[in-house]
Amino acid sequence: ETGVTQSPTHLIKTRGQQVTLRCSSQSGHNTVSWYQQALGQGPQFIFQYYREEENGRGNFPPRFSGLQFPNYSSELNVNALELDDSALYLCASSLGTGPGYGYTFGSGTRLTVV
Amino acid sequence: AQSVTQPDIHITVSEGASLELRCNYSYGATPYLFWYVQSPGQGLQLLLKYFSGDTLVQGIKGFEAEFKRSQSSFNLRKPSVHWSDAAEYFCAVGLNTGGFKTIFGAGTRLFVKA
């Protein structure tokens, strides 16, 4: 079975720009969650998507938005980038939305905002 | 508010020695509990999870964890550490409060010395 793949692996953006990160979920997984991991921190929950709808959101401003497609892949969009948005962005897929499902994580996208 | 605390920022153990990583959580009900491991530059890998039943759970790579309700703890253990176990370890709680999310602790960095 394929795992979770994220693209790109690294990118550098300028403050104020917009960025789109992509994620392909593990085969058979219908739920995708996005996390932001700042250097030296644990992952922080951004939001979760199930059946192309947002299904829970963490404490992130509206300039963080997402999409899920019929094949369960997902995008994370960040507008008006700020320096503090520099982090590792992790995508995780799961078999369902319940709190008991463990995640399968991708290797992440390292975003640097300058 | 729900939270996960990992009291030790980093721990150093000798190869072959036993390991215990501490985790405490704050949540009203019995939570869904997880331990993940993250190698440098990588995503997170699920080691084990606890939902209910036997409070001692076995995971991959020889790890186990014990849920203690009275102490609100879910400590991770391994009887004999290998150099390849050096990584960052995250304890996490799965919640369903107005939408599903998983809250991660700040992590414990494990160093293994020869």
Side-chain angles (χ1 to χ4, degrees):
Chain A
E1 64 184 13
T2 59
V4 176
T5 57
Q6 293 186 242
S7 62
T9 55
H10 298 82
L11 76 165
I12 300 174
K13 289 287 189 178
T14 302
R15 188 171 49 183
Q17 285 187 314
Q18 178 267 342
V19 68
T20 297
L21 310 182
R22 294 177 175 82
C23 171
S24 294
S25 61
Q26 180 169 315
S27 177
H29 285 192
N30 59 16
T31 303
V32 173
S33 303
W34 286 91
Y35 283 81
Q36 180 195 67
Q37 187 179 19
L39 203 60
Q41 303 290 320
Q44 299 293 312
F45 177 70
I46 303 175
F47 43 54
Q48 181 186 79
Y49 277 83
Y50 172 67
R51 291 186 175 179
E52 304 176 54
E53 298 281 337
E54 188 178 287
N55 181 52
R57 189 179 181 93
N59 295 325
F60 282 82
R63 58 189 186 84
F64 285 78
S65 63
L67 286 172
Q68 186 180 32
F69 301 99
N71 66 354
Y72 306 133
S73 65
S74 178
E75 288 182 354
L76 165 65
N77 299 288
V78 187
N79 294 321
L81 284 166
E82 301 177 359
L83 297 179
D84 285 348
D85 296 333
S86 295
L88 180 67
Y89 288 84
L90 295 166
C91 170
S93 71
S94 54
L95 285 168
T97 61
Y101 290 101
Y103 289 140
T104 300
F105 278 87
S107 297
T109 295
R110 173 71 63 187
L111 171 65
T112 303
V113 182
V114 298
Chain B
Q2 304 90 359
S3 65
V4 179
T5 302
Q6 294 180 248
D8 303 304
I9 297 173
H10 54 80
I11 283 181
T12 301
V13 299
S14 298
E15 192 169 17
S18 63
L19 169 70
E20 183 169 27
L21 302 182
R22 297 184 291 164
C23 173
N24 293 96
Y25 65 89
S26 172
Y27 184 54
T30 299
Y32 297 85
L33 296 162
F34 306 86
W35 275 98
Y36 287 86
V37 61
Q38 185 178 35
S39 298
Q42 299 296 313
L44 282 73
Q45 181 183 23
L46 179 65
L47 287 175
L48 47 78
K49 57 188 176 183
Y50 172 79
F51 300 158
S52 64
D54 192 345
T55 56
L56 184 65
V57 293
Q58 303 296 319
I60 62 172
K61 304 186 179 187
F63 286 93
E64 66 178 25
E66 186 172 13
F67 170 62
K68 293 185 177 181
R69 184 191 303 275
S70 62
Q71 298 177 18
S72 298
S73 69
F74 188 56
N75 293 349
L76 181 71
R77 301 195 292 249
K78 187 170 184 178
S80 177
V81 169
H82 188 262
W83 64 266
S84 61
D85 293 325
E88 185 100 26
Y89 291 80
F90 293 95
C91 180
V93 172
L95 307 171
N96 196 359
T97 55
F100 165 73
K101 61 183 177 182
T102 297
I103 297 176
F104 287 82
T108 297
R109 169 74 65 179
L110 173 64
F111 297 95
V112 180
K113 60 182 181 180

